[in-house]
């Protein structure tokens, strides 16, 4: 028992000495180690271990970098409140504790941290398994939460500088994860703050390493004025670095193109739903206003679109809000379709089959496949593109689920959604703020020329459509006959349905004006007739209604659709920002064997068969903003007056610049092609010359021979210098070979005898020609070198006449 106790005590003491890392252990080891076996930096051995970091500034700045990443994640990644408090307070308290105990063993702290890491890992695995069961292949939120907890634990054990660097790196990883989850420009503030802190940390790190060792001694021994000047110079660099790194990163971000990698699909679903299920299967818009003004018009709630209801009254008047209602992560901007109407009674639109819905249930987790219905199918002759969209609700919305084109798969927080007979999706809950869901859609890529040249629909198909889809041909009983005559006049008698619908679309775009202040239509008049004949101005619902009615008068099946226009793309966040004022109404016509084709007859509406707007880079966005600003500045009265005064002087220069820009734009492609062709021909000629040279022998490759000859000449010259050292004749570092020869081979007072002088003269002459001139045979230098060494070794005492008087110097 005594021996076991002594062995355990010895092991414990050895383990403490090996892991303490303090100076006492190092000095004890050095005292018992022979001097010839101690590691030496000059001998190429490993340097001494890094000691504890005592710089308070460096510790504070790295903690600030980690806290920046934690704060960004807590705000933008929906981190739980208890984890956010643990991450922030734990990082601050741990940084203080690690500084106080930076030179201690911290045995129990390390064991506690190990236990905490196991707990954090268990929570992470549990969250991942839950997401796998929900068929969500998105581990960003669990990874972010795990990194926050690990950083709080890691902050209690930061003895060395490399541990501080790990904390700064964790902050960077948190920012990278938050960048993919952020929805606004708030992330930019965190990023710029982190880069500013990082620039100052790099300055502190480089300054401490630069002023280490001999450099520190020189700085200490310098006069006081020099030290103060050096300190001021270093302090002056701090603001430059702090500003330069964020600005350089911003310029890099602006110059990078935006790429859409189809394999990296973004699937996000919110899980924290507290909204109860709706009792009705219909459309619920709780914020919609039903109040009427004195003129009989319905008052618009700025935060509720009146088109999201089971009926669309065309006498709503008012403007919608500029507030962002949702953000969409999508490669292209689409018409975000919400619902459709088919019945028009002269004043409002309704749905004849509003209660005809189909339940779509989640088959695995939160993935809900949407089996096709007749109103959602895409013809096989139409090319389609798959589109991934992630919707982020910014304000409460009705239970309509906006989506692009024809959705076929949805990841939704509930286990079911409703699909109506018009191809629209409904939710069993109201879309509350901060809800996130993902939709996969098929976007038809219609070919307009093919649609225009398609054969007309045969009467058999028309009769079948009128029997099965009579609701898309319906017209009010009291529609004035002048509307049908106007439709015939505009659409014409020749062309298929697509051609005639395009004529109606262009007629409305060119001859009617968009106006939100149009007076309401009296109850005794038809709203579409009032818009087409008398008012000739209105808003998007009027344009879409007129288009549908005119198409139906010509026997073309059509319906009115409501949703959102594409919105505005934000290149800094990569999201489409949809505002309440982007709520929109458009139309769709049905062409057999092609499907439902969208039309937007509003003057600023999208073209027929719209397939999306591509996103753009931040550089193009900034260039456009700068161009608009310059246009405004150039239109100022003072600038216009100055331009009129300077125009006679600037006109020739502007004309020359215009011609230069024109020639550059016209000729840069041919010039680039010529340069590329010349480079290719040059490379091919060099390659062929090299191949022929290797086949014919080394005589056709003088460059390679010259390189080998110069290397051999240098080796011979070094060998001769080594032999002359035995005569105490050394070349000064600043001397060339010619200067060295002149010094030791002066005719009147040479320091070597005549035979050796003759050999050295021949050798130096041959060496100069071989090293700096033409190719010289190496065997001649080898023979001269052998004779010089033989002469030096044979007559070492007689070969040197007198000792040079000059001393060896640098």
């Amino acid at each position: 028992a005594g021996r076991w106790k002594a062995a355990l005590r010895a092991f414990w003491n050895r383990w403490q000495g090996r892991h303490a890392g303090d100076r006492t252990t190092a000095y004890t080891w050095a005292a018992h180690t022979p001097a010839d076996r101690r590691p030496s930096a000059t001998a190429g051995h490993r340097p001494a271990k890094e000691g504890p970091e005592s710089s308070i500034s460096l510790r504070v700045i790295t903690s600030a970098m980690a806290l920046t990443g934690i704060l960004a994640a807590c705000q933008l990644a929906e981190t739980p409140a208890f984890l956010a408090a643990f991450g922030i307070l734990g990082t601050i308290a741990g940084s203080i504790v690690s500084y106080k105990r930076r030179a201690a063993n911290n045995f129990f702290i390390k064991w506690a941290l190990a236990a905490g890491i196991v707990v954090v890992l268990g929570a992470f695995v549990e969250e991942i398994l839950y997401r796998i069961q929900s068929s969500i292949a998105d581990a960003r939120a669990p990874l972010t939460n795990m990194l926050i907890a690990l950083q709080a634990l890691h902050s209690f054990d930061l003895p060395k500088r490399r541990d501080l660097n790990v904390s700064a790196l964790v902050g960077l990883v948190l920012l990278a994860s938050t960048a993919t989850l952020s929805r606004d420009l708030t992330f930019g503030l965190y990023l710029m703050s982190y880069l500013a802190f990082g620039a100052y940390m790099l300055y502190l790190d480089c300054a401490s390493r630069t002023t280490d060792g001999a450099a520190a001694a020189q700085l200490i021994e310098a006069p006081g004025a020099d030290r103060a000047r050096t300190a001021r110079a270093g302090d002056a660099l701090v603001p430059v670095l702090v500003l330069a790194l964020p600005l350089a990163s911003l310029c890099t971000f602006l110059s990078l193109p935006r790429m859409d990698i189809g394999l990296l699909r973004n699937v996000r679903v919110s899980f924290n739903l507290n909204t109860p299920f709706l009792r009705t299967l219909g459309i619920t818009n709780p914020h919609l206003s039903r109040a009427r003004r004195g003129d009989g018009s319905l008052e618009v709630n700025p935060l509720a679109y009146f088109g999201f209801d089971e009926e669309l009254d065309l006498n709503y008047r008012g403007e919608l809000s500029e507030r962002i209602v949702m953000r969409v992560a999508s490669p292209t901007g689409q018409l975000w379709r919400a619902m459709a109407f088919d019945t028009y009674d002269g004043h409002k639109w309704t749905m004849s089959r509003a209660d005809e819905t189909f339940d779509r249930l989640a088959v695995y987790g939160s993935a809900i496949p949407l089996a096709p219905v007749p109103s959602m199918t895409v013809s096989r002759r139409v090319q389609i593109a798959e589109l991934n969209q992630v919707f982020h609700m910014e304000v409460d919305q009705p239970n309509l689920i906006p989506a692009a084109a024809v959705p076929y798969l949805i990841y939704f927080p509930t286990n079911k959604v409703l699909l109506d007979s018009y191809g629209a999706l409904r939710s069993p809950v109201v879309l509350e703020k901060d809800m996130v869901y993902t939709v996969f859609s098929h976007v038809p890529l219609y070919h307009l020329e093919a649609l225009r040249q398609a054969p007309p629909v045969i009467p058999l198909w028309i009769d079948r459509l009128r029997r099965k889809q009579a609701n898309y041909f319906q017209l009010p009983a009291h529609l004035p006959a002048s509307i049908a005559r106007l439709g015939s006049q505009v659409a014409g008698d020749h062309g298929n349905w697509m051609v005639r619908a395009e004529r109606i679309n262009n007629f409305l775009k060119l001859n009617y004006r968009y106006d939100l202040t149009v007076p309401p239509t009296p109850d005794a008049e038809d709203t579409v007739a009032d818009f087409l004949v008398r008012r000739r101005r209105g808003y998007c619902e009027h344009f879409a209604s007129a288009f549908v009615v005119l198409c139906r008068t010509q026997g073309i099946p059509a319906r009115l659709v409501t949703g959102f226009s594409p919105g505005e793309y934000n290149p800094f966040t990569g999201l489409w920002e949809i505002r309440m004022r982007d709520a929109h109404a458009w139309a769709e016509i049905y062409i057999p064997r092609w499907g439902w084709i969208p039309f937007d007859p509003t003057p600023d509406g999208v073209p027929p068969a719209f397939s999306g707007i591509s996103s753009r880079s931040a550089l193009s966005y900034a260039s456009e903003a700068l161009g608009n600003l310059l246009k405004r500045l150039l239109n100022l009265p003072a600038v216009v007056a100055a331009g009129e005064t300077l125009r006679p002087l600037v006109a020739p220069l502007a004309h020359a610049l215009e011609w230069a820009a024109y020639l550059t734009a016209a000729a840069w492609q041919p010039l680039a092609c010529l340069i590329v062709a010349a480079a290719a021909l040059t490379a091919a000629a060099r390659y062929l010359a090299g191949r022929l040279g290797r086949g014919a022998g080394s005589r056709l490759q003088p460059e390679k021979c010259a390189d080998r000859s110069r290397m051999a000449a240098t080796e011979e010259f070094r060998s001769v210098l080594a032999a002359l050292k035995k005569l105490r004749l050394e070349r000064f570092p600043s001397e060339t070979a010619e200067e060295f020869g002149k010094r030791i081979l002066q005719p009147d007072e040479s320091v070597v005898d005549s035979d050796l002088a003759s050999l050295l003269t021949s050798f130096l002459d041959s060496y100069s020609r071989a090293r700096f001139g033409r190719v010289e045979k190496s065997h001649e230098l080898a023979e001269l070198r052998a004779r010089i060494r033989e002469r030096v070794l044979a007559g070492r005492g007689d070969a040197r006449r007198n000792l040079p008087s000059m001393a060896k110097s640098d």
Side-chain angles (χ1 to χ4, degrees):
R3 287 196 299 271
W4 275 103
K5 186 176 181 180
L8 289 175
R9 185 181 292 109
F11 173 78
W12 175 258
N13 293 334
R14 184 184 305 170
W15 192 90
Q16 279 189 319
R18 187 174 299 170
H19 290 80
D22 54 0
R23 297 182 179 180
T24 305
T25 305
Y27 289 151
T28 305
W29 177 83
H32 293 83
T33 304
D36 56 348
R37 294 180 58 187
R38 297 175 189 171
S40 173
T42 57
H45 293 281
R46 186 180 302 173
K49 291 185 178 180
E50 180 185 0
E53 180 59 54
S54 301
S55 174
I56 298 179
S57 301
L58 195 59
R59 287 180 173 273
V60 169
I61 203 68
T62 51
S63 299
M65 296 172 69
L67 285 173
T68 301
I70 293 175
L71 291 173
C74 292
Q75 180 179 355
L76 304 176
E78 302 176 2
T79 301
F82 72 93
L83 182 59
F86 175 71
I88 296 172
L89 299 179
T91 300
I92 297 174
S95 300
I96 298 174
V97 171
S98 62
Y99 173 72
K100 296 292 185 181
R101 300 183 58 83
R102 61 188 182 279
N105 185 16
N106 299 326
F107 175 76
F108 296 104
I109 292 179
K110 292 178 179 178
W111 275 104
L113 295 182
I117 290 173
V118 173
V119 174
V120 171
L121 181 61
F124 170 74
V125 173
E126 181 181 359
E127 179 69 16
I128 290 295
L129 291 177
Y130 174 69
R131 287 177 175 263
I132 291 175
Q133 292 176 357
S134 301
S135 67
I136 302 299
D138 186 4
R140 287 174 294 180
L143 280 173
T144 301
N145 296 333
M146 183 184 68
L147 279 177
I148 292 174
L150 291 179
Q151 169 57 31
L153 295 174
H154 176 67
S155 298
F156 286 89
D157 187 26
L158 304 174
K160 300 179 182 180
R161 182 172 298 187
R162 64 170 177 265
D163 301 312
L164 299 176
N165 295 336
V166 171
S167 293
L169 183 61
V170 170
L172 180 62
V173 175
L174 287 173
L175 280 177
S177 176
T178 306
T180 63
L181 300 173
S182 63
R183 306 200 300 264
D184 52 24
L185 293 180
T186 306
F187 171 76
L189 301 177
Y190 291 105
L191 179 60
M192 293 301 172
S193 301
Y194 182 89
L195 292 175
F197 291 147
Y200 189 58
M201 187 206 74
L202 291 176
Y203 166 75
L204 292 176
D205 184 73
C206 294
S208 63
R209 296 177 187 274
T210 304
T211 57
D212 199 7
Q218 294 179 3
L219 184 61
I220 293 174
E221 294 174 0
D226 294 341
R227 287 202 303 270
R229 190 181 304 110
T230 304
R232 287 195 300 269
D235 294 339
L237 289 176
V238 174
V240 176
L241 291 174
V242 170
L243 293 176
L245 188 58
L247 291 178
S249 302
L250 179 61
C251 295
T252 303
F253 173 78
L254 291 176
S255 60
L256 286 177
R258 177 170 175 79
M259 295 179 293
D260 176 31
I261 303 177
L263 296 177
L264 302 179
R265 290 183 171 179
N266 187 11
V267 177
R268 291 200 64 200
V269 177
S270 55
F271 294 100
N272 50 346
L273 278 182
N274 300 318
T275 305
F277 275 40
L278 298 172
R279 296 181 180 180
T280 177
L281 300 180
I283 298 173
T284 302
N285 193 346
H287 303 291
L288 189 62
S289 174
R290 305 290 182 179
R292 288 189 178 270
R293 298 187 177 94
D295 57 0
S297 63
L298 291 167
E299 185 177 355
V300 171
N301 182 357
L303 290 178
Y305 178 45
F306 53 89
F308 295 157
D309 196 10
E310 292 186 356
E311 64 176 30
L312 171 59
D313 196 312
L314 297 179
N315 267 343
Y316 271 100
R317 295 295 185 271
E319 295 187 12
L320 296 173
S321 172
E322 293 282 337
R323 185 173 178 181
I324 296 176
V325 295
M326 65 181 184
R327 290 183 170 92
V328 185
S330 173
T332 59
Q334 299 286 334
L335 290 172
W336 314 112
R337 195 175 184 275
M339 61 180 301
F341 300 90
D342 61 351
T343 305
Y344 173 65
D345 64 357
H347 296 282
K348 62 180 179 294
W349 285 91
T350 56
M351 295 182 289
S352 60
R353 292 180 285 183
D355 298 332
E356 185 178 334
T357 58
F358 312 92
D359 292 345
R360 292 294 179 262
L361 304 178
V363 295
Y364 182 73
S366 59
I368 304 176
L370 305 173
V373 297
S375 60
M376 292 185 64
T377 56
V378 181
S379 174
R380 294 182 178 179
R381 66 168 57 195
V382 179
Q383 184 181 0
I384 61 174
E386 291 192 4
L387 186 68
N388 171 214
Q389 317 129 69
V390 180
F391 290 82
H392 304 265
M393 295 295 116
E394 302 296 342
V395 298
D396 293 345
Q397 290 292 298
N399 65 327
L400 295 171
I401 303 176
V406 183
Y408 67 90
L409 182 66
I410 182 172
Y411 290 80
F412 203 71
T414 61
N415 60 352
K416 78 169 185 177
V417 296
L418 303 175
L419 181 64
D420 65 15
S421 58
Y422 304 94
L425 298 173
R426 304 180 192 177
S427 167
V429 297
V430 175
L431 272 60
E432 62 180 3
K433 185 179 182 297
D434 294 329
M435 178 186 286
V436 182
Y437 65 91
T438 301
V439 182
F440 289 88
S441 299
H442 287 149
V443 179
L445 304 177
Y446 295 106
H447 193 271
L448 287 177
E449 288 301 324
L451 283 169
R452 293 164 184 162
Q453 297 174 7
V457 182
I458 60 177
L460 179 63
W461 276 96
I462 296 177
D463 294 339
R464 184 179 300 177
L465 286 174
R466 286 188 177 274
R467 288 195 305 268
K468 292 186 176 181
Q469 299 182 1
N471 54 325
Y472 295 128
F473 293 90
Q474 177 268 340
L475 286 170
H478 303 288
L479 183 70
S482 59
I483 302 303
R485 290 194 299 269
L486 178 63
S488 300
Q489 180 183 357
V490 172
D493 298 332
H494 60 281
N496 58 17
W497 284 356
M498 182 66 189
V499 174
R500 300 172 72 188
E502 280 191 297
R503 292 178 186 145
I504 297 174
N505 182 73
N506 296 333
F507 170 75
L508 293 174
K509 281 179 177 288
L510 297 176
N511 296 282
Y512 293 83
R513 184 165 56 91
Y514 187 87
D515 186 8
L516 292 175
T517 63
V518 60
T521 303
D523 294 339
E525 297 184 19
D526 186 275
T527 305
V528 171
D530 181 59
F531 167 74
L532 289 174
V533 177
R534 191 161 65 95
R535 304 288 185 185
R536 302 184 66 86
R537 56 193 176 97
Y539 43 89
C540 59
E541 289 76 16
H542 291 119
F543 283 88
S545 300
F547 177 85
V548 173
V549 169
L550 290 176
C551 284
R552 290 182 178 183
T553 60
Q554 303 307 305
I556 304 174
R559 63 188 178 189
L560 185 139
V561 182
T562 58
F564 292 96
S565 61
E568 184 178 359
Y569 180 73
N570 189 332
F572 299 98
T573 61
L575 302 175
W576 296 89
E577 296 178 347
I578 317 299
R579 303 181 185 274
M580 197 69 244
R581 60 173 171 78
D582 293 323
H584 193 48
W586 63 94
E588 292 177 346
I589 67 168
Y590 182 77
I591 300 179
R593 304 178 66 184
W594 290 91
W596 288 96
I597 301 173
F599 277 82
D600 188 359
T602 312
D604 293 333
V606 298
F610 177 71
S611 60
I613 305 174
S614 300
S615 58
R616 54 180 176 170
S617 65
L619 183 60
S620 63
Y621 178 84
S623 301
E624 182 178 350
L626 182 60
N628 294 333
L629 178 61
L630 290 177
K631 288 181 181 179
R632 292 183 180 180
L633 292 177
L634 293 176
N635 291 330
L636 293 176
V639 178
V640 172
E644 293 294 336
T645 304
L646 298 176
R647 180 173 297 178
L649 302 177
V650 181
L653 179 61
H655 185 68
L657 292 176
E658 182 180 358
W659 269 102
Y662 174 76
L663 292 177
T664 302
W668 76 270
Q669 291 183 342
L671 288 176
C673 293
L674 288 176
I675 293 174
V676 172
L681 290 175
T682 304
R686 290 178 62 87
Y687 175 76
L688 292 176
R691 298 285 294 181
L692 294 175
R694 282 194 293 270
S698 60
R699 289 179 297 176
L700 297 180
Q701 296 179 344
E703 295 86 359
K704 295 183 178 180
C705 297
D707 291 338
R708 290 195 294 267
S709 177
R710 291 176 187 129
M711 294 176 61
T714 301
E715 294 299 327
E716 299 294 345
F717 180 67
R718 290 176 178 174
S719 178
V720 170
L721 291 180
L724 292 177
K725 282 185 179 180
K726 299 177 180 179
L727 300 179
R728 290 185 294 171
L729 296 175
E730 297 188 30
R731 184 175 69 92
F732 298 156
S734 60
E735 283 183 327
T736 63
E738 184 180 359
E739 293 172 346
F740 175 63
K742 288 182 179 180
R743 178 166 60 84
I744 65 174
L745 300 176
Q746 297 180 8
D748 50 350
E749 47 184 25
S750 177
V751 297
V752 297
D753 60 8
S754 58
D755 295 337
L756 183 56
S758 177
L759 291 174
L760 287 174
T761 301
S762 302
F763 177 82
L764 292 176
D765 182 62
S766 299
Y767 167 72
S768 298
R769 285 183 289 131
R771 182 63 181 83
F772 303 106
R774 63 181 179 85
V775 179
E776 191 76 18
K777 294 181 179 180
S778 59
H779 64 85
E780 296 182 358
L781 288 173
E783 294 176 358
L784 292 172
R785 183 259 306 163
R787 294 174 60 186
I788 291 173
R789 290 180 61 86
E790 181 181 358
R791 179 71 184 89
V792 169
L793 294 177
R796 185 179 299 178
D798 299 332
R800 184 181 176 95
R801 292 184 176 180
N802 49 21
L803 188 68
S805 59
M806 59 183 65
K808 182 179 179 181
S809 65
D810 291 333

